[in-house]
Each structure stands twice: as C-alpha cells, then as structure tokens.
C-alpha cells in the first residue's frame, strides 16, 4: 500500500506538487493520468525519495519513507523510470540488477537471485534473449527487459512511469494483463500513463492530476461520469458494453 498525505515536492525551490493526498491500495492497479507537466513523474519520484519532500509524508506499507534508507525503500517499491540509459551489458545482467537491494557489497548473486531473474524474464517472454546485448534489442523488447528488472526486485509496490513506451498495441495489451496479474497477487501497482483509454481499461482506480494536485480519484466509471476528463483534457470519452466487457472510446 502507498499513502501520500499532503505531499509537497519540487525542484530547486520551484514547487511541482502541492498538498497531494492519494491512497493506492494493495491488490489494485492505480493509474495516474494528466496533461504533460502536471507532476505525474514527480509524484512517483517523491514516493521513492528521488525528489525530496518539502511537505507532507509518504508511507509504504504503513511505514513513513522519512525513516527509510534508499535500499530499504527499494525493497518495498520497485520503479520503472521513463527515461533509461542503455548500458553495454546483456539483458540477463540488467534484470539481475533488480536484486541489488538484497545484496551487500561486493555484490555476489546466489542461485536464488539467478532463478528469480530468469523467472522475471520468462514472465515477459524474453527468457530466450538472456544473453543478448541490451543495445542490440529493439526499443519495445528493451522496455520488456526493464520491466523484468522491476519484477525481479520482488517488491510489494511497483511503480511504472509510461511503461507502454515503445510497445506496439499487442504488447500494450499484454502489459495490461501483466499488471492485472500483479494486482491479483496482492501487489500495489501504480502506473503513470498517457493513454487515457488504456488507463480506463486497465486500472481499478484512476487518479487525475492537474497543475500539481490530484483533481479527482475514482473507479473508471466514476471518472467517466464525473466529467473530469473533459475539463482536464478537453476530450469526450464514452463507454459501451461488448461481449469482451466494457470498452472505452473517444466520441467525435
């Protein structure tokens, strides 16, 4: 579980988040949506301590992050960043980095660490690419490697910033099913995502951000009925029942 209470944060004295209250429960996918520059990525970084808080507090599984070291936070929360470097190592070696919070210096991977890494790669259907150099992989495949690294961390809370970047529509739908599976396992999943329709279809709860604040939180139907999407994004989103379940679409 992730809880934010009146969180304020920013960069170099410039505030980005102001008075943010948000609760992301266990066993649920929470999608954070909003216009560019509204503070979505900063929100994730403030949860992880990457951006220091200037006010309020964050709690992971009931424990305030103010009393936790970066390693202790990493054991509780895995993070898939939006912008990532491409080190000159194999896909498998990168996934193993997810075990860092559990290793002391000098880092020596054990049998269990290696098994967990391979299981994470298999979950992303990239086990056969373990020996491939990361720089030779396509953007979409490389994104799956980074997601596998986050899974390898085995944290109870998983935060992903624009995880569908570089993924085609088929891969996006597979990712949606993966995060749903993680939630069914009891994990807390928080997605920052720009695709409103995918957010509505994937998430249990939607948090709409506007100018550094949470404008509204609710289930997808509640968000749809509230009119907040029209006010924040200027779009008309509607839903319809289909044999596959509720589908969302942009009205002309």
């Amino acid at each position: 579980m992730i809880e934010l209470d009146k969180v304020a944060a920013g960069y170099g004295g410039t505030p980005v988040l102001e008075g943010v209250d948000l609760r992301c429960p266990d066993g649920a996918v929470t999608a954070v949506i909003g216009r560019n520059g509204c503070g979505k990525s900063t929100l994730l970084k403030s949860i992880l301590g990457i951006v220091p808080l200037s006010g309020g507090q964050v709690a992971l599984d009931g424990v305030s992050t103010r009393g936790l070291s970066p390693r202790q936070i990493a054991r509780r929360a895995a993070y898939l960043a939006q912008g990532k470097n491409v080190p000159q190592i194999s896909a498998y070696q990168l996934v193993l980095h997810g075990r860092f919070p559990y290793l002391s210096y000098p880092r020596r991977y054990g049998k269990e660490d290696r098994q967990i890494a391979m299981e994470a790669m298999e979950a992303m259907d990239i086990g056969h690419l373990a020996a491939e150099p990361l720089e030779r992989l396509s953007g979409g495949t490389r994104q799956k490697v980074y997601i596998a690294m986050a899974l390898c961390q085995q944290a109870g809370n998983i935060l992903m910033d624009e995880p569908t970047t570089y993924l085609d529509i088929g891969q996006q739908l597979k990712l949606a099913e993966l995060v749903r599976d993680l939630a069914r396992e009891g994990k807390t999943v928080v997605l920052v995502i720009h695709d409103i329709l995918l957010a509505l279809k994937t998430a249990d709860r939607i948090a709409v951000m506007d100018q550094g604040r949470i404008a509204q939180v609710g289930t997808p139907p509640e968000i749809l009925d509230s009119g907040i999407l029209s006010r924040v994004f200027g779009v008309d989103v509607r839903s319809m029942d289909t044999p596959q379940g509720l589908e969302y679409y942009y009205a002309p």
Side-chain angles (χ1 to χ4, degrees), residues 95 117 120-121 124 126 143-153:
V95 175
M121 296 191 76
M124 294 305 301
I126 53 172
Q143 183 77 334
K144 294 168 78 173
V145 176
Y146 280 98
I147 295 171
M149 181 178 68
L151 298 181
C152 187
Q153 205 165 319

Side-chain angles (χ1 to χ4, degrees), residues 70-239:
R71 176 177 290 186
Q72 289 172 321
I73 291 176
R75 289 182 179 182
R76 293 174 180 269
Y79 175 48
L80 177 69
Q82 183 176 8
K84 299 170 286 294
N85 296 324
V86 184
Q88 294 183 335
I89 58 177
S90 71
Y92 175 62
Q93 287 174 308
L94 181 72
V95 175
L96 271 173
H97 285 184
R99 303 305 298 162
F100 278 8
Y102 303 95
L103 303 175
S104 56
Y105 187 84
R107 300 185 180 104
R108 291 191 176 92
Y109 301 112
K111 181 179 179 180
E112 182 181 11
D113 299 312
R114 298 181 184 280
Q115 180 179 345
I116 291 170
M118 281 308 304
E119 289 174 352
M121 296 191 76
E122 293 294 344
M124 294 305 301
D125 296 323
I126 53 172
H128 61 290
L129 299 175
E132 284 294 310
L134 199 63
E135 68 268 20
R136 293 185 187 176
L137 301 177
S138 68
T141 302
R142 195 181 300 149
Q143 183 77 334
K144 294 168 78 173
V145 176
Y146 280 98
I147 295 171
M149 181 178 68
L151 298 181
C152 187
Q153 205 165 319
Q154 290 195 317
N157 304 286
I158 300 178
L159 293 77
M160 298 183 177
D161 194 352
E162 300 289 5
T164 58
T165 302
Y166 305 120
L167 300 183
D168 61 35
I169 185 62
Q171 292 172 327
Q172 289 179 25
L173 295 177
K174 287 182 180 179
L175 175 68
E177 186 56 34
L178 170 67
V179 299
R180 297 293 310 141
D181 287 342
L182 292 171
R184 283 190 282 266
E185 293 171 8
K187 294 184 183 296
T188 299
V189 183
V190 182
L191 305 177
V192 162
I193 189 167
H194 72 276
D195 189 327
I196 298 173
L197 301 186
L198 187 61
L200 290 166
K201 186 173 179 60
T202 304
D204 299 292
R205 302 170 77 251
I206 306 282
V208 182
M209 288 195 69
D210 189 27
Q211 298 182 352
R213 296 179 179 273
I214 300 294
Q216 185 134 353
V217 180
T219 65
E222 289 170 346
I223 291 297
L224 197 64
D225 292 341
S226 70
I228 188 69
L229 298 179
S230 176
R231 294 196 297 274
V232 171
F233 297 98
V235 296
D236 183 9
V237 181
R238 300 179 187 178
S239 65

